Amino acid sequence: KDVEFIQSSYFNKLELTRFSSSVGKFVGFTEYGVKNAADWNNNPSLLSNMKAAKEVYCLNNIQTDYTAAL
């Protein structure tokens, strides 16, 4: 419940877009990023893949990462 999957895209140290599993969609931070986010949010297969990434990457590795951090 406390785990969140975030994938951001950057160019020249400027964040263009971000997908957050708590929001469930892409958010754009620049004009170019907003256009990309709108296109990506209209693609149901991409959104379902990104939502599943939380389970694939985060939930399967949280115990290993938590143990290593301690």
Side-chain angles (χ1 to χ4, degrees):
K1 296 177 183 178
D2 297 351
V3 178
E4 181 178 12
F5 174 77
I6 298 174
Q7 181 176 341
S8 298
S9 61
Y10 290 84
F11 182 74
N12 284 342
K13 299 181 183 179
L14 180 65
E15 186 173 21
L16 303 176
T17 58
R18 178 187 306 162
F19 177 84
S20 172
S21 62
S22 63
V23 176
K25 65 178 185 175
F26 290 92
V27 178
F29 297 102
T30 64
E31 182 180 349
Y32 180 71
V34 169
K35 290 178 184 177
N36 282 328
D39 289 342
W40 296 339
N41 287 331
N42 289 327
N43 185 341
S45 64
L46 179 60
L47 281 179
S48 65
N49 286 342
M50 294 303 291
K51 290 176 183 177
K54 178 179 176 181
E55 295 179 24
V56 172
Y57 296 112
C58 300
L59 299 180
N60 286 334
N61 296 312
I62 190 71
Q63 187 60 42
T64 305
D65 294 345
Y66 182 74
T67 304
L70 294 178

